[in-house]
């Protein structure tokens, strides 16, 4: 079993790793051979959208695809600095001196199109009236709302990514692992994406309290 990365998080400002984060770690532990095979002979570009504490990217860097270029993004600037600290704390840079950069941005807006080989996203998936406004102040207490609230069906932010997936992933080779809760209606999402030509598989699912979480793999 792979080790869970250490973190040092200000829980008032950055999403605390929870069942969803740990489901992603288990997903990558389960998938690591097929992921390694897929990217054999390549230095893949790995991007986690909404990296939070950086625990998921750090786990992938340590255990799954150490020889990769990592771009972690988050709308929350404190998440970006925390993710960089998580990478340092776990010494992955010393063991696997491949690039890690955490950048504040909306989704993948500052990453070049069609350059991401492995995309990971644990989105704000809780249904809510709206996706919250971006706070203006670093010390604003509402940054954490952005980690959780996903607007209608909890899917507004996730649909922004899915609708643009064709332009985000590397043609033919790129794959995306995206987490859903049952209220996001992942079956309907899968059908819609299949109708657009995507292959969609449920990789792992788990009951977490009153929520059922699942991770879907999207590939062409
Ligand atoms: C559920 S948390 C997941 C954090 C971390 N990946 C994990 O699994 O523990 C969602 C993260 O997405 C970030 N986020 C929300 N909206 C975003 C957007 N439009 N672009 C980039 N990041 C966003 C939040 O700030 C938060 O860190």
């Amino acid at each position: 079993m792979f080790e869970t990365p250490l973190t040092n998080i200000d829980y008032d400002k950055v999403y605390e790793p929870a069942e969803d984060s740990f489901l992603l770690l288990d997903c990558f532990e389960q998938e690591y051979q097929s992921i390694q095979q897929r990217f054999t002979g390549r230095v893949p570009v790995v991007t986690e959208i909404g990296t939070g504490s950086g625990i998921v990217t750090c786990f992938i860097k340590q255990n799954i695809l150490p020889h990769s270029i990592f771009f972690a993004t988050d709308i929350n600037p404190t998440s970006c600095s925390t993710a960089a600290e998580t990478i340092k704390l776990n010494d992955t840079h010393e063991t696997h001196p491949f690039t890690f950069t955490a950048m504040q941005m909306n989704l993948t807006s500052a990453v070049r199109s069609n350059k991401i080989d492995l995309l990971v996203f644990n989105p704000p998936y809780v249904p809510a009236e709206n996706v919250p406004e971006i706070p203006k102040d670093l010390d604003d207490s509402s940054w954490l709302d952005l980690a959780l609230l996903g607007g209608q069906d909890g899917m507004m932010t996730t649909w922004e990514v899915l609708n643009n997936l064709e332009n985000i992933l590397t043609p033919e080779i790129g794959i995306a692992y995206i987490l859903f809760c049952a209220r996001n209606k992942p079956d309907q999402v899968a059908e819609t994406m299949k109708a657009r030509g995507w292959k969609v598989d449920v990789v792992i699912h788990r009951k977490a309290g009153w929520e059922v979480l699942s991770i879907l793999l999207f590939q062409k």
Side-chain angles (χ1 to χ4, degrees):
M1 203 175 156
F2 297 135
E3 273 181 36
T4 302
L6 304 169
T7 51
N8 181 11
I9 304 167
D10 180 344
Y11 299 126
D12 291 332
K13 293 186 176 167
V14 172
Y15 186 77
E16 179 177 2
E19 284 91 343
D20 45 9
S21 325
F22 299 123
L23 189 64
L24 271 165
L25 304 194
D26 291 344
C27 164
F28 286 113
E29 181 148 356
Q30 180 185 303
E31 291 278 287
Y32 91 95
Q33 278 172 329
S34 74
I35 293 176
Q36 285 183 347
Q37 269 168 19
R38 185 174 189 95
F39 298 118
T40 304
R42 195 178 171 90
V43 177
V45 174
V46 177
T47 293
E48 183 189 9
I49 304 175
T51 193
S53 62
I55 190 172
V56 178
T57 291
C58 188
F59 184 85
I60 297 171
K61 193 173 187 323
Q62 271 181 319
N63 304 305
I64 313 297
L65 286 173
H67 301 132
S68 305
I69 294 167
F70 291 89
F71 290 117
T73 83
D74 207 294
I75 200 85
N76 176 350
T78 313
S79 292
C80 296
S81 49
T82 304
E85 276 169 33
T86 299
I87 294 289
K88 270 204 205 129
L89 189 65
N90 290 276
D91 269 347
T92 54
H93 192 71
E94 318 255 303
T95 352
H96 306 300
F98 273 73
T99 323
F100 169 85
T101 313
M103 292 168 291
Q104 185 196 11
M105 71 180 80
N106 181 28
L107 305 175
T108 57
S109 52
V111 182
R112 281 181 63 192
S113 296
N114 295 121
K115 290 286 177 220
I116 295 172
D117 296 312
L118 175 64
L119 182 76
V120 183
F121 192 21
N122 176 8
Y125 54 76
V126 176
E129 209 166 308
N130 294 303
V131 171
E133 297 273 315
I134 300 172
K136 294 201 171 43
D137 185 343
L138 256 191
D139 292 324
D140 196 305
S141 60
S142 60
W143 284 106
L144 285 181
D145 294 342
L146 273 167
L148 298 172
L149 305 179
Q152 191 185 359
D153 289 338
M155 279 298 294
M156 280 176 72
T157 309
T158 308
W159 272 124
E160 269 193 65
V161 173
L162 291 173
N163 288 337
N164 195 29
L165 205 51
E166 188 92 44
N167 302 316
I168 294 176
L169 297 181
T170 317
E172 282 154 44
I173 196 136
I175 53 176
Y177 289 87
I178 302 182
L179 185 138
F180 297 82
C181 74
R183 289 178 293 161
N184 302 149
K185 306 179 185 147
D187 295 349
Q188 284 180 24
V189 173
E191 288 316 309
T192 305
M193 291 301 281
K194 283 179 190 171
R196 295 178 184 176
W198 291 91
K199 182 174 182 297
V200 186
D201 295 295
V202 180
V203 180
I204 193 167
H205 65 99
R206 181 174 299 161
K207 196 165 180 314
W210 48 271
E211 207 50 286
V212 178
L213 303 175
S214 51
I215 295 172
L216 270 54
L217 167 62
F218 298 85
Q219 57 193 313
K220 273 277 163 154

PDB file of all heavy atoms in Angstrom, residues 15-18 20-21 24 48-53 55-56 73-76 79 105-107 121-125 143 146-147 157, ligand 1:
ATOM      1  N   TYR A  15      -8.926  23.465   1.630  1.00  0.00           N
ATOM      2  CA  TYR A  15      -9.761  22.263   1.792  1.00  0.00           C
ATOM      3  C   TYR A  15      -8.973  21.152   2.502  1.00  0.00           C
ATOM      4  O   TYR A  15      -7.891  20.771   2.065  1.00  0.00           O
ATOM      5  CB  TYR A  15     -10.206  21.779   0.404  1.00  0.00           C
ATOM      6  CG  TYR A  15     -11.176  20.632   0.430  1.00  0.00           C
ATOM      7  CD1 TYR A  15     -12.517  20.838   0.734  1.00  0.00           C
ATOM      8  CD2 TYR A  15     -10.747  19.336   0.150  1.00  0.00           C
ATOM      9  CE1 TYR A  15     -13.414  19.775   0.755  1.00  0.00           C
ATOM     10  CE2 TYR A  15     -11.643  18.268   0.162  1.00  0.00           C
ATOM     11  CZ  TYR A  15     -12.967  18.502   0.463  1.00  0.00           C
ATOM     12  OH  TYR A  15     -13.862  17.455   0.482  1.00  0.00           O
ATOM     13  N   GLU A  16      -9.559  20.658   3.564  1.00  0.00           N
ATOM     14  CA  GLU A  16      -8.918  19.580   4.321  1.00  0.00           C
ATOM     15  C   GLU A  16      -9.186  18.252   3.609  1.00  0.00           C
ATOM     16  O   GLU A  16     -10.341  17.940   3.295  1.00  0.00           O
ATOM     17  CB  GLU A  16      -9.517  19.532   5.731  1.00  0.00           C
ATOM     18  CG  GLU A  16      -8.936  18.425   6.572  1.00  0.00           C
ATOM     19  CD  GLU A  16      -9.488  18.430   7.995  1.00  0.00           C
ATOM     20  OE1 GLU A  16     -10.354  19.289   8.318  1.00  0.00           O
ATOM     21  OE2 GLU A  16      -9.060  17.561   8.773  1.00  0.00           O
ATOM     22  N   PRO A  17      -8.151  17.454   3.318  1.00  0.00           N
ATOM     23  CA  PRO A  17      -8.394  16.178   2.635  1.00  0.00           C
ATOM     24  C   PRO A  17      -9.458  15.368   3.373  1.00  0.00           C
ATOM     25  O   PRO A  17      -9.437  15.249   4.596  1.00  0.00           O
ATOM     26  CB  PRO A  17      -7.022  15.484   2.691  1.00  0.00           C
ATOM     27  CG  PRO A  17      -6.052  16.598   2.806  1.00  0.00           C
ATOM     28  CD  PRO A  17      -6.729  17.669   3.602  1.00  0.00           C
ATOM     29  N   ALA A  18     -10.397  14.841   2.578  1.00  0.00           N
ATOM     30  CA  ALA A  18     -11.537  14.122   3.149  1.00  0.00           C
ATOM     31  C   ALA A  18     -11.760  12.848   2.348  1.00  0.00           C
ATOM     32  O   ALA A  18     -10.901  12.445   1.552  1.00  0.00           O
ATOM     33  CB  ALA A  18     -12.759  15.042   3.122  1.00  0.00           C
ATOM     34  N   ASP A  20     -13.386  12.184  -0.230  1.00  0.00           N
ATOM     35  CA  ASP A  20     -13.231  12.328  -1.691  1.00  0.00           C
ATOM     36  C   ASP A  20     -11.754  12.307  -2.090  1.00  0.00           C
ATOM     37  O   ASP A  20     -11.352  11.622  -3.029  1.00  0.00           O
ATOM     38  CB  ASP A  20     -13.953  13.589  -2.208  1.00  0.00           C
ATOM     39  CG  ASP A  20     -13.694  14.822  -1.354  1.00  0.00           C
ATOM     40  OD1 ASP A  20     -12.823  14.769  -0.461  1.00  0.00           O
ATOM     41  OD2 ASP A  20     -14.355  15.854  -1.581  1.00  0.00           O
ATOM     42  N   SER A  21     -10.929  13.040  -1.323  1.00  0.00           N
ATOM     43  CA  SER A  21      -9.491  13.062  -1.613  1.00  0.00           C
ATOM     44  C   SER A  21      -8.920  11.645  -1.489  1.00  0.00           C
ATOM     45  O   SER A  21      -8.131  11.193  -2.342  1.00  0.00           O
ATOM     46  CB  SER A  21      -8.753  13.963  -0.613  1.00  0.00           C
ATOM     47  OG  SER A  21      -9.542  15.070  -0.235  1.00  0.00           O
ATOM     48  N   LEU A  24      -9.674   9.334  -4.309  1.00  0.00           N
ATOM     49  CA  LEU A  24      -8.775   9.556  -5.451  1.00  0.00           C
ATOM     50  C   LEU A  24      -7.439   8.827  -5.235  1.00  0.00           C
ATOM     51  O   LEU A  24      -6.900   8.222  -6.164  1.00  0.00           O
ATOM     52  CB  LEU A  24      -8.527  11.054  -5.651  1.00  0.00           C
ATOM     53  CG  LEU A  24      -9.535  11.752  -6.565  1.00  0.00           C
ATOM     54  CD1 LEU A  24      -9.458  13.262  -6.421  1.00  0.00           C
ATOM     55  CD2 LEU A  24      -9.348  11.357  -8.030  1.00  0.00           C
ATOM     56  N   GLU A  48      -3.615  18.590 -12.023  1.00  0.00           N
ATOM     57  CA  GLU A  48      -4.753  18.477 -11.121  1.00  0.00           C
ATOM     58  C   GLU A  48      -5.417  19.846 -11.032  1.00  0.00           C
ATOM     59  O   GLU A  48      -4.772  20.832 -10.650  1.00  0.00           O
ATOM     60  CB  GLU A  48      -4.315  18.026  -9.722  1.00  0.00           C
ATOM     61  CG  GLU A  48      -5.526  17.834  -8.825  1.00  0.00           C
ATOM     62  CD  GLU A  48      -5.216  17.583  -7.363  1.00  0.00           C
ATOM     63  OE1 GLU A  48      -4.047  17.723  -6.959  1.00  0.00           O
ATOM     64  OE2 GLU A  48      -6.159  17.273  -6.619  1.00  0.00           O
ATOM     65  N   ILE A  49      -6.684  19.908 -11.377  1.00  0.00           N
ATOM     66  CA  ILE A  49      -7.441  21.152 -11.199  1.00  0.00           C
ATOM     67  C   ILE A  49      -7.934  21.180  -9.756  1.00  0.00           C
ATOM     68  O   ILE A  49      -8.425  20.170  -9.246  1.00  0.00           O
ATOM     69  CB  ILE A  49      -8.671  21.203 -12.132  1.00  0.00           C
ATOM     70  CG1 ILE A  49      -8.275  21.034 -13.599  1.00  0.00           C
ATOM     71  CG2 ILE A  49      -9.447  22.497 -11.923  1.00  0.00           C
ATOM     72  CD1 ILE A  49      -9.474  20.952 -14.554  1.00  0.00           C
ATOM     73  N   GLY A  50      -7.798  22.315  -9.109  1.00  0.00           N
ATOM     74  CA  GLY A  50      -8.316  22.445  -7.738  1.00  0.00           C
ATOM     75  C   GLY A  50      -7.530  21.561  -6.787  1.00  0.00           C
ATOM     76  O   GLY A  50      -8.082  20.716  -6.094  1.00  0.00           O
ATOM     77  N   THR A  51      -6.240  21.810  -6.730  1.00  0.00           N
ATOM     78  CA  THR A  51      -5.343  20.893  -6.004  1.00  0.00           C
ATOM     79  C   THR A  51      -5.510  20.945  -4.476  1.00  0.00           C
ATOM     80  O   THR A  51      -5.153  20.003  -3.778  1.00  0.00           O
ATOM     81  CB  THR A  51      -3.877  21.171  -6.409  1.00  0.00           C
ATOM     82  OG1 THR A  51      -3.047  20.124  -5.947  1.00  0.00           O
ATOM     83  CG2 THR A  51      -3.374  22.517  -5.887  1.00  0.00           C
ATOM     84  N   GLY A  52      -6.057  22.043  -3.939  1.00  0.00           N
ATOM     85  CA  GLY A  52      -6.271  22.144  -2.482  1.00  0.00           C
ATOM     86  C   GLY A  52      -4.952  22.029  -1.740  1.00  0.00           C
ATOM     87  O   GLY A  52      -4.014  22.808  -1.967  1.00  0.00           O
ATOM     88  N   SER A  53      -4.852  21.017  -0.884  1.00  0.00           N
ATOM     89  CA  SER A  53      -3.612  20.813  -0.117  1.00  0.00           C
ATOM     90  C   SER A  53      -2.489  20.238  -0.976  1.00  0.00           C
ATOM     91  O   SER A  53      -1.345  20.166  -0.527  1.00  0.00           O
ATOM     92  CB  SER A  53      -3.889  19.816   1.005  1.00  0.00           C
ATOM     93  OG  SER A  53      -4.277  18.565   0.415  1.00  0.00           O
ATOM     94  N   ILE A  55      -2.462  17.096  -1.885  1.00  0.00           N
ATOM     95  CA  ILE A  55      -2.237  15.709  -1.449  1.00  0.00           C
ATOM     96  C   ILE A  55      -2.343  14.722  -2.625  1.00  0.00           C
ATOM     97  O   ILE A  55      -1.576  13.756  -2.698  1.00  0.00           O
ATOM     98  CB  ILE A  55      -3.208  15.345  -0.299  1.00  0.00           C
ATOM     99  CG1 ILE A  55      -2.817  14.009   0.321  1.00  0.00           C
ATOM    100  CG2 ILE A  55      -4.657  15.315  -0.735  1.00  0.00           C
ATOM    101  CD1 ILE A  55      -3.610  13.660   1.585  1.00  0.00           C
ATOM    102  N   VAL A  56      -3.248  14.979  -3.548  1.00  0.00           N
ATOM    103  CA  VAL A  56      -3.465  14.028  -4.652  1.00  0.00           C
ATOM    104  C   VAL A  56      -2.299  14.101  -5.647  1.00  0.00           C
ATOM    105  O   VAL A  56      -1.725  13.079  -6.035  1.00  0.00           O
ATOM    106  CB  VAL A  56      -4.821  14.282  -5.347  1.00  0.00           C
ATOM    107  CG1 VAL A  56      -5.008  13.336  -6.511  1.00  0.00           C
ATOM    108  CG2 VAL A  56      -5.964  14.145  -4.346  1.00  0.00           C
ATOM    109  N   THR A  73      -3.411  23.378 -10.381  1.00  0.00           N
ATOM    110  CA  THR A  73      -4.075  24.677 -10.427  1.00  0.00           C
ATOM    111  C   THR A  73      -5.066  24.785  -9.261  1.00  0.00           C
ATOM    112  O   THR A  73      -5.544  23.765  -8.752  1.00  0.00           O
ATOM    113  CB  THR A  73      -4.868  24.885 -11.747  1.00  0.00           C
ATOM    114  OG1 THR A  73      -6.162  24.270 -11.648  1.00  0.00           O
ATOM    115  CG2 THR A  73      -4.128  24.327 -12.945  1.00  0.00           C
ATOM    116  N   ASP A  74      -5.313  26.004  -8.866  1.00  0.00           N
ATOM    117  CA  ASP A  74      -6.418  26.241  -7.912  1.00  0.00           C
ATOM    118  C   ASP A  74      -6.822  27.712  -8.017  1.00  0.00           C
ATOM    119  O   ASP A  74      -5.976  28.587  -8.257  1.00  0.00           O
ATOM    120  CB  ASP A  74      -6.024  25.903  -6.468  1.00  0.00           C
ATOM    121  CG  ASP A  74      -7.242  25.513  -5.633  1.00  0.00           C
ATOM    122  OD1 ASP A  74      -8.118  26.393  -5.404  1.00  0.00           O
ATOM    123  OD2 ASP A  74      -7.350  24.346  -5.221  1.00  0.00           O
ATOM    124  N   ILE A  75      -8.081  27.962  -7.837  1.00  0.00           N
ATOM    125  CA  ILE A  75      -8.595  29.336  -7.849  1.00  0.00           C
ATOM    126  C   ILE A  75      -8.163  30.054  -6.559  1.00  0.00           C
ATOM    127  O   ILE A  75      -8.085  31.281  -6.506  1.00  0.00           O
ATOM    128  CB  ILE A  75     -10.146  29.305  -7.980  1.00  0.00           C
ATOM    129  CG1 ILE A  75     -10.698  30.617  -8.476  1.00  0.00           C
ATOM    130  CG2 ILE A  75     -10.830  28.896  -6.694  1.00  0.00           C
ATOM    131  CD1 ILE A  75     -10.692  30.751  -9.941  1.00  0.00           C
ATOM    132  N   ASN A  76      -7.867  29.259  -5.531  1.00  0.00           N
ATOM    133  CA  ASN A  76      -7.527  29.784  -4.205  1.00  0.00           C
ATOM    134  C   ASN A  76      -5.999  29.891  -4.078  1.00  0.00           C
ATOM    135  O   ASN A  76      -5.298  28.873  -4.082  1.00  0.00           O
ATOM    136  CB  ASN A  76      -8.095  28.802  -3.157  1.00  0.00           C
ATOM    137  CG  ASN A  76      -7.728  29.164  -1.736  1.00  0.00           C
ATOM    138  OD1 ASN A  76      -6.898  30.042  -1.496  1.00  0.00           O
ATOM    139  ND2 ASN A  76      -8.330  28.470  -0.786  1.00  0.00           N
ATOM    140  N   SER A  79      -4.243  27.723  -1.543  1.00  0.00           N
ATOM    141  CA  SER A  79      -4.111  26.306  -1.923  1.00  0.00           C
ATOM    142  C   SER A  79      -2.838  26.098  -2.739  1.00  0.00           C
ATOM    143  O   SER A  79      -2.140  25.097  -2.556  1.00  0.00           O
ATOM    144  CB  SER A  79      -5.301  25.863  -2.783  1.00  0.00           C
ATOM    145  OG  SER A  79      -6.460  25.855  -2.019  1.00  0.00           O
ATOM    146  N   MET A 105      -5.350  29.869 -10.966  1.00  0.00           N
ATOM    147  CA  MET A 105      -6.085  30.150 -12.204  1.00  0.00           C
ATOM    148  C   MET A 105      -7.473  29.525 -12.095  1.00  0.00           C
ATOM    149  O   MET A 105      -7.722  28.669 -11.224  1.00  0.00           O
ATOM    150  CB  MET A 105      -5.349  29.598 -13.426  1.00  0.00           C
ATOM    151  CG  MET A 105      -5.365  28.099 -13.549  1.00  0.00           C
ATOM    152  SD  MET A 105      -4.490  27.524 -15.007  1.00  0.00           S
ATOM    153  CE  MET A 105      -2.802  27.594 -14.450  1.00  0.00           C
ATOM    154  N   ASN A 106      -8.318  29.931 -13.018  1.00  0.00           N
ATOM    155  CA  ASN A 106      -9.615  29.277 -13.142  1.00  0.00           C
ATOM    156  C   ASN A 106      -9.413  28.000 -13.965  1.00  0.00           C
ATOM    157  O   ASN A 106      -8.948  28.072 -15.115  1.00  0.00           O
ATOM    158  CB  ASN A 106     -10.593  30.230 -13.825  1.00  0.00           C
ATOM    159  CG  ASN A 106     -11.969  29.616 -13.974  1.00  0.00           C
ATOM    160  OD1 ASN A 106     -12.386  28.766 -13.184  1.00  0.00           O
ATOM    161  ND2 ASN A 106     -12.679  30.018 -14.999  1.00  0.00           N
ATOM    162  N   LEU A 107      -9.705  26.869 -13.387  1.00  0.00           N
ATOM    163  CA  LEU A 107      -9.616  25.567 -14.070  1.00  0.00           C
ATOM    164  C   LEU A 107      -8.243  25.397 -14.732  1.00  0.00           C
ATOM    165  O   LEU A 107      -7.240  25.377 -14.042  1.00  0.00           O
ATOM    166  CB  LEU A 107     -10.778  25.412 -15.052  1.00  0.00           C
ATOM    167  CG  LEU A 107     -12.160  25.608 -14.389  1.00  0.00           C
ATOM    168  CD1 LEU A 107     -13.276  25.567 -15.423  1.00  0.00           C
ATOM    169  CD2 LEU A 107     -12.391  24.596 -13.288  1.00  0.00           C
ATOM    170  N   PHE A 121      -9.490  15.816 -11.277  1.00  0.00           N
ATOM    171  CA  PHE A 121     -10.317  16.896 -10.715  1.00  0.00           C
ATOM    172  C   PHE A 121     -11.269  16.339  -9.666  1.00  0.00           C
ATOM    173  O   PHE A 121     -12.099  15.481  -9.954  1.00  0.00           O
ATOM    174  CB  PHE A 121     -11.116  17.575 -11.841  1.00  0.00           C
ATOM    175  CG  PHE A 121     -11.782  18.880 -11.450  1.00  0.00           C
ATOM    176  CD1 PHE A 121     -11.370  19.640 -10.363  1.00  0.00           C
ATOM    177  CD2 PHE A 121     -12.851  19.377 -12.215  1.00  0.00           C
ATOM    178  CE1 PHE A 121     -11.980  20.850 -10.031  1.00  0.00           C
ATOM    179  CE2 PHE A 121     -13.472  20.580 -11.897  1.00  0.00           C
ATOM    180  CZ  PHE A 121     -13.034  21.313 -10.804  1.00  0.00           C
ATOM    181  N   ASN A 122     -11.092  16.824  -8.454  1.00  0.00           N
ATOM    182  CA  ASN A 122     -12.063  16.615  -7.375  1.00  0.00           C
ATOM    183  C   ASN A 122     -12.770  17.963  -7.211  1.00  0.00           C
ATOM    184  O   ASN A 122     -12.279  18.842  -6.513  1.00  0.00           O
ATOM    185  CB  ASN A 122     -11.338  16.200  -6.087  1.00  0.00           C
ATOM    186  CG  ASN A 122     -12.286  16.063  -4.907  1.00  0.00           C
ATOM    187  OD1 ASN A 122     -13.502  16.130  -5.063  1.00  0.00           O
ATOM    188  ND2 ASN A 122     -11.727  15.891  -3.710  1.00  0.00           N
ATOM    189  N   PRO A 123     -13.880  18.156  -7.906  1.00  0.00           N
ATOM    190  CA  PRO A 123     -14.453  19.514  -8.030  1.00  0.00           C
ATOM    191  C   PRO A 123     -15.299  19.918  -6.827  1.00  0.00           C
ATOM    192  O   PRO A 123     -15.628  19.085  -5.981  1.00  0.00           O
ATOM    193  CB  PRO A 123     -15.358  19.359  -9.263  1.00  0.00           C
ATOM    194  CG  PRO A 123     -15.774  17.924  -9.241  1.00  0.00           C
ATOM    195  CD  PRO A 123     -14.661  17.139  -8.617  1.00  0.00           C
ATOM    196  N   PRO A 124     -15.687  21.191  -6.790  1.00  0.00           N
ATOM    197  CA  PRO A 124     -16.739  21.569  -5.852  1.00  0.00           C
ATOM    198  C   PRO A 124     -18.039  20.954  -6.375  1.00  0.00           C
ATOM    199  O   PRO A 124     -18.522  21.362  -7.427  1.00  0.00           O
ATOM    200  CB  PRO A 124     -16.758  23.107  -5.951  1.00  0.00           C
ATOM    201  CG  PRO A 124     -16.011  23.458  -7.194  1.00  0.00           C
ATOM    202  CD  PRO A 124     -15.190  22.294  -7.611  1.00  0.00           C
ATOM    203  N   TYR A 125     -18.554  19.924  -5.695  1.00  0.00           N
ATOM    204  CA  TYR A 125     -19.654  19.131  -6.273  1.00  0.00           C
ATOM    205  C   TYR A 125     -20.959  19.203  -5.485  1.00  0.00           C
ATOM    206  O   TYR A 125     -21.933  18.522  -5.817  1.00  0.00           O
ATOM    207  CB  TYR A 125     -19.233  17.659  -6.430  1.00  0.00           C
ATOM    208  CG  TYR A 125     -18.710  17.007  -5.157  1.00  0.00           C
ATOM    209  CD1 TYR A 125     -19.579  16.620  -4.143  1.00  0.00           C
ATOM    210  CD2 TYR A 125     -17.356  16.769  -4.981  1.00  0.00           C
ATOM    211  CE1 TYR A 125     -19.102  16.019  -2.987  1.00  0.00           C
ATOM    212  CE2 TYR A 125     -16.867  16.172  -3.826  1.00  0.00           C
ATOM    213  CZ  TYR A 125     -17.741  15.803  -2.844  1.00  0.00           C
ATOM    214  OH  TYR A 125     -17.267  15.220  -1.692  1.00  0.00           O
ATOM    215  N   TRP A 143     -13.341  31.450   0.940  1.00  0.00           N
ATOM    216  CA  TRP A 143     -12.577  30.639  -0.020  1.00  0.00           C
ATOM    217  C   TRP A 143     -13.011  29.176   0.046  1.00  0.00           C
ATOM    218  O   TRP A 143     -13.071  28.484  -0.962  1.00  0.00           O
ATOM    219  CB  TRP A 143     -11.075  30.730   0.260  1.00  0.00           C
ATOM    220  CG  TRP A 143     -10.453  32.010  -0.199  1.00  0.00           C
ATOM    221  CD1 TRP A 143     -10.048  33.050   0.598  1.00  0.00           C
ATOM    222  CD2 TRP A 143     -10.173  32.410  -1.550  1.00  0.00           C
ATOM    223  NE1 TRP A 143      -9.547  34.061  -0.180  1.00  0.00           N
ATOM    224  CE2 TRP A 143      -9.596  33.702  -1.500  1.00  0.00           C
ATOM    225  CE3 TRP A 143     -10.350  31.809  -2.794  1.00  0.00           C
ATOM    226  CZ2 TRP A 143      -9.197  34.388  -2.648  1.00  0.00           C
ATOM    227  CZ3 TRP A 143      -9.947  32.489  -3.928  1.00  0.00           C
ATOM    228  CH2 TRP A 143      -9.384  33.756  -3.858  1.00  0.00           C
ATOM    229  N   LEU A 146     -15.864  27.970  -2.102  1.00  0.00           N
ATOM    230  CA  LEU A 146     -15.511  27.657  -3.496  1.00  0.00           C
ATOM    231  C   LEU A 146     -15.023  26.215  -3.654  1.00  0.00           C
ATOM    232  O   LEU A 146     -15.032  25.663  -4.747  1.00  0.00           O
ATOM    233  CB  LEU A 146     -14.394  28.595  -3.973  1.00  0.00           C
ATOM    234  CG  LEU A 146     -14.829  29.928  -4.559  1.00  0.00           C
ATOM    235  CD1 LEU A 146     -13.633  30.852  -4.674  1.00  0.00           C
ATOM    236  CD2 LEU A 146     -15.452  29.719  -5.932  1.00  0.00           C
ATOM    237  N   ALA A 147     -14.568  25.647  -2.553  1.00  0.00           N
ATOM    238  CA  ALA A 147     -14.103  24.246  -2.609  1.00  0.00           C
ATOM    239  C   ALA A 147     -15.279  23.277  -2.644  1.00  0.00           C
ATOM    240  O   ALA A 147     -15.138  22.133  -3.075  1.00  0.00           O
ATOM    241  CB  ALA A 147     -13.215  23.950  -1.405  1.00  0.00           C
ATOM    242  N   THR A 157     -19.262  23.823 -12.263  1.00  0.00           N
ATOM    243  CA  THR A 157     -17.812  23.895 -12.498  1.00  0.00           C
ATOM    244  C   THR A 157     -17.351  22.668 -13.279  1.00  0.00           C
ATOM    245  O   THR A 157     -16.544  22.765 -14.211  1.00  0.00           O
ATOM    246  CB  THR A 157     -17.073  24.004 -11.138  1.00  0.00           C
ATOM    247  OG1 THR A 157     -17.673  25.058 -10.389  1.00  0.00           O
ATOM    248  CG2 THR A 157     -15.606  24.279 -11.319  1.00  0.00           C
TER     249      THR A 157
HETATM  250  C1  LIG B   1     -13.237  19.502  -3.179  1.00  0.00           C
HETATM  251  S1  LIG B   1     -11.804  20.522  -3.143  1.00  0.00           S
HETATM  252  C2  LIG B   1     -10.556  19.308  -3.606  1.00  0.00           C
HETATM  253  C3  LIG B   1      -9.164  19.644  -3.082  1.00  0.00           C
HETATM  254  C4  LIG B   1      -8.120  18.538  -3.350  1.00  0.00           C
HETATM  255  N1  LIG B   1      -7.944  18.305  -4.753  1.00  0.00           N
HETATM  256  C5  LIG B   1      -8.493  17.266  -2.661  1.00  0.00           C
HETATM  257  O1  LIG B   1      -8.909  16.313  -3.350  1.00  0.00           O
HETATM  258  O2  LIG B   1      -8.363  17.211  -1.423  1.00  0.00           O
HETATM  259  C6  LIG B   1     -12.001  21.491  -4.623  1.00  0.00           C
HETATM  260  C7  LIG B   1     -10.857  22.451  -4.931  1.00  0.00           C
HETATM  261  O3  LIG B   1     -11.133  23.106  -6.178  1.00  0.00           O
HETATM  262  C8  LIG B   1     -10.780  24.476  -6.085  1.00  0.00           C
HETATM  263  N2  LIG B   1     -11.570  25.190  -7.095  1.00  0.00           N
HETATM  264  C9  LIG B   1     -12.882  25.526  -7.048  1.00  0.00           C
HETATM  265  N3  LIG B   1     -13.244  26.157  -8.186  1.00  0.00           N
HETATM  266  C10 LIG B   1     -12.140  26.198  -8.977  1.00  0.00           C
HETATM  267  C11 LIG B   1     -11.879  26.747 -10.267  1.00  0.00           C
HETATM  268  N4  LIG B   1     -12.832  27.348 -10.984  1.00  0.00           N
HETATM  269  N5  LIG B   1     -10.626  26.629 -10.768  1.00  0.00           N
HETATM  270  C12 LIG B   1      -9.646  26.027 -10.036  1.00  0.00           C
HETATM  271  N6  LIG B   1      -9.835  25.512  -8.804  1.00  0.00           N
HETATM  272  C13 LIG B   1     -11.062  25.587  -8.279  1.00  0.00           C
HETATM  273  C14 LIG B   1     -11.088  24.834  -4.650  1.00  0.00           C
HETATM  274  O4  LIG B   1     -10.414  26.004  -4.230  1.00  0.00           O
HETATM  275  C15 LIG B   1     -10.640  23.566  -3.924  1.00  0.00           C
HETATM  276  O5  LIG B   1      -9.284  23.628  -3.572  1.00  0.00           O
END
